[in-house]
Amino acid sequence: MPRPLLPFVLALVLLLPGCGTPYRPAVVVRDSTPFPGIAGVIAANQPQAVDVILVHGICTHDAAWADAAIERLAGIVETHAPPSPAAAAPGDVCKPTRARLNGIAKDRLLDDCLSDALIYEGASHEAMRDAMVEAVSQVLAEHPDDGATLVVVAESLGSKMLFDALDSMLESNQPRTRALGRQAARRLGLVFMAGNQLPILGLAEQTLAARAMPAQDTLQRFLELRRRQSAPRAGGIARLGLVAFTDPNDVLSYRLLPARYAAPDVAVADVLVSNGRTWLGLFENPFAAHLDYLANPDLGALVACGYPIAPGCR
């Protein structure tokens, strides 16, 4: 071996043992509540349909993302679910020069991604929330089966937008919107939250009033409004399942923590996953850590089959 290559090879050999994915397979945090997967919800609701809403988070997403994400989620469920019955069917003048990795981080994580959260919490908040209200209302209006369970898979900022929308619907002065909100609250049985940002975004709603009690976040408000309803839950839903997937190296993600949300009518599970490799215990690609939840096979298996794995699921 040429001597100039020897130091490089030795360095590579030393690095390899320090490269790993500490949360593959995924680790369900102690005291988490068991939860079903989409396949199990479908089986339990036969012959009624199950509606699934997919909500994206920060960063640019277009129609191609939606098509790919829907296809991926459908493929995950199909891969893991038990066999279905036969009948189922400018110029760069004065442009600053930035170190390459810092430039990538600023362009992608800050300019393209974090900016979405800032826009949402700013002057455009109501317009964006109302657009989400309209999207949820459209799904419910087009699939009005009040006995069908509703499942949501939300990424990142999408969780905040979802519960903001549901809160707004339940408190709306418009009878139609309020009725659809109540329908959503009855039908909502399972929410998967990947890259949950509720704690950090909730800071934008805190006040500086002295001795003020900590404000409820949007999820807590939704759970309280939901409890005020006397109507029975759809599809025999005894408890709303909240499942948070968190890569500990995802700097934009937070666990749910059962002590904050769990109740007799709410089951909470925190699941730790690794979306990318951790190098020497020091570094994981920050883009993979936050953006690759739906591409993580461990997450896919749990979304499809639940925990513990449902009998017959693969």
Side-chain angles (χ1 to χ4, degrees), residues 7 20 49 76 83 95-96 116 122-123 129 150 155 157 161 166 192 217 219 230 239 246 256 258 265 267 287 303-304:
I76 287 170
K95 182 178 180 180
D116 291 345
R129 182 205 62 202
L150 183 64
E155 286 188 294
L157 176 62
M161 296 181 68
L166 293 175
F192 292 106
D217 64 32
L219 174 53
S230 58
R239 294 197 292 176
T246 306
L256 272 179
D265 60 338
F287 309 109
V303 167

Side-chain angles (χ1 to χ4, degrees), residues 53 148-152 162-163 166 182-191 222 226 233-234 237 239-242:
I53 297 177
T149 298
L150 183 64
V151 177
V152 176
L162 170 71
F163 290 115
L166 293 175
R182 290 175 176 171
Q183 182 189 150
R186 286 193 300 270
R187 293 176 54 185
L188 191 62
L190 187 58
V191 181
F222 168 73
R226 181 176 179 267
R233 306 291 176 227
I237 299 170
R239 294 197 292 176
L240 169 61
L242 300 174

Side-chain angles (χ1 to χ4, degrees), residues 28-29 31-37 41 150-154 159-160 162-163 166 184-185 188-194 196 198 217-224 226-227 237-246 254-271 302-303 306-307:
V28 179
V29 177
D31 297 331
S32 291
T33 305
F35 55 88
V41 174
L150 183 64
V151 177
V152 176
V153 181
S159 299
K160 179 72 163 66
L162 170 71
F163 290 115
L166 293 175
L188 191 62
L190 187 58
V191 181
F192 292 106
M193 303 163 66
N196 165 41
L198 291 183
D217 64 32
T218 185
L219 174 53
Q220 290 174 309
R221 288 196 297 273
F222 168 73
L223 296 176
E224 182 176 315
R226 181 176 179 267
R227 292 185 185 107
I237 299 170
R239 294 197 292 176
L240 169 61
L242 300 174
V243 184
F245 295 100
T246 306
Y254 299 83
R255 290 165 53 193
L256 272 179
L257 300 178
R260 190 168 174 83
Y261 304 99
D265 60 338
V266 181
V268 178
D270 278 305
V271 183
L302 289 169
V303 167
Y307 170 81

Side-chain angles (χ1 to χ4, degrees), residues 22 40 75 299 311:
L299 183 149

Side-chain angles (χ1 to χ4, degrees), residues 14-299:
L14 290 173
L15 281 172
L16 286 177
C19 171
T21 49
Y23 296 102
R24 284 194 183 177
V27 176
V28 179
V29 177
R30 184 178 60 187
D31 297 331
S32 291
T33 305
F35 55 88
I38 294 178
V41 174
I42 293 173
N45 281 265
Q46 295 285 359
Q48 292 176 314
V50 173
D51 293 320
V52 178
I53 297 177
L54 185 61
V55 187
H56 72 72
I58 60 177
C59 307
T60 300
H61 296 74
D62 55 17
W65 173 88
D67 293 338
I70 291 169
E71 184 175 347
R72 177 182 293 154
L73 188 59
I76 287 170
V77 175
E78 183 176 356
T79 297
H80 291 280
S84 301
D92 58 0
V93 177
C94 296
K95 182 178 180 180
T97 300
R98 185 178 285 114
R100 181 172 177 80
L101 293 180
N102 294 70
I104 294 173
K106 189 170 191 304
D107 289 343
R108 294 189 59 187
L109 280 182
L110 294 177
D111 294 349
D112 186 40
C113 298
L114 190 58
S115 58
D116 291 345
L118 296 177
I119 293 170
Y120 180 69
E121 292 292 1
S124 299
H125 175 80
E126 290 189 6
M128 296 175 70
R129 182 205 62 202
D130 291 348
M132 187 68 188
V133 167
E134 183 58 34
V136 173
S137 297
Q138 183 176 344
V139 170
L140 296 171
E142 292 180 356
H143 304 273
D145 186 350
D146 200 37
T149 298
L150 183 64
V151 177
V152 176
V153 181
E155 286 188 294
S156 185
L157 176 62
S159 299
K160 179 72 163 66
M161 296 181 68
L162 170 71
F163 290 115
D164 279 349
L166 293 175
D167 288 351
S168 177
M169 294 172 73
L170 289 172
E171 297 182 307
S172 175
N173 293 323
Q174 300 180 14
R176 175 182 178 275
T177 301
R178 188 168 60 253
L180 289 172
R182 290 175 176 171
Q183 182 189 150
R186 286 193 300 270
R187 293 176 54 185
L188 191 62
L190 187 58
V191 181
F192 292 106
M193 303 163 66
N196 165 41
Q197 293 184 336
L198 291 183
I200 189 68
L201 295 177
L203 295 177
E205 300 166 0
Q206 296 287 333
T207 67
L208 297 178
R211 300 180 182 177
M213 292 293 291
Q216 287 184 320
D217 64 32
T218 185
L219 174 53
Q220 290 174 309
R221 288 196 297 273
F222 168 73
L223 296 176
E224 182 176 315
L225 290 169
R226 181 176 179 267
R227 292 185 185 107
R228 295 176 186 173
Q229 300 182 51
S230 58
R233 306 291 176 227
I237 299 170
R239 294 197 292 176
L240 169 61
L242 300 174
V243 184
F245 295 100
T246 306
D247 185 328
N249 293 325
D250 177 3
V251 298
L252 298 175
S253 179
Y254 299 83
R255 290 165 53 193
L256 272 179
L257 300 178
R260 190 168 174 83
Y261 304 99
D265 60 338
V266 181
V268 178
D270 278 305
V271 183
L272 303 181
V273 298
S274 288
N275 295 329
R277 291 186 179 276
T278 300
W279 297 89
L280 298 175
L282 298 175
F283 177 80
E284 179 183 339
N285 182 338
F287 309 109
H290 187 68
L291 300 178
D292 287 355
Y293 281 97
L294 290 184
N296 188 323
D298 289 349
L299 183 149

Side-chain angles (χ1 to χ4, degrees), residues 1-10:
M1 177 183 298
R3 294 184 64 85
L5 293 178
L6 184 58
F8 172 77
V9 174
L10 290 175

